[in-house]
Amino acid sequence: MLLKKPAMAGTLESSDAQVTISPKEGGVDVEIKSSVMYQYGRQIEECVRETLKNLNVDNAYVKVVDQGALECTLKARVECAAFRSAEVDNGYPWGGAIK
């Protein structure tokens, strides 16, 4: 998936995450700010990277502001931000089609 512009998904509410993604050359960089960073920081980064890999996103800067979101919420926010960035507006793979 080719990212075209910066995009955001999610909120700063409790149990949610705000994900901002931008096109960038040279791989994937992930910045995380989380209220549970010391407990779950590695798992958050792993979830973000795995979701981007499943979407075939190879070059991106991703900023995650996590407020204790579940993994399924984080994955949904990353997917939504990536689709918005790539300007995909139809043909979403609903129902677990993305690994």
Side-chain angles (χ1 to χ4, degrees), residues 11-88:
T11 69
L12 296 175
E13 298 293 322
S14 180
S15 300
D16 200 356
Q18 186 177 68
V19 175
T20 307
I21 189 167
S22 303
K24 178 193 107 28
E25 290 299 318
V28 174
D29 287 337
V30 179
E31 177 185 344
I32 301 169
K33 293 184 180 180
S34 176
S35 59
V36 292
M37 186 66 176
Y38 293 110
Q39 295 91 344
Y40 300 106
R42 278 187 247 142
Q43 289 92 334
I44 293 169
E45 182 169 353
E46 183 179 310
C47 178
V48 170
R49 289 184 181 278
E50 181 180 319
T51 303
L52 292 173
K53 181 180 176 185
N54 291 338
L55 293 170
N56 295 316
V57 175
D58 300 322
N59 297 297
Y61 170 74
V62 182
K63 181 177 180 182
V64 178
V65 181
D66 173 60
Q67 299 295 330
L70 295 173
E71 186 174 326
C72 58
T73 302
L74 182 58
K75 182 178 176 182
R77 298 304 187 211
V78 173
E79 289 174 358
C80 182
F83 283 126
R84 287 178 178 172
S85 178
E87 298 180 337
V88 174

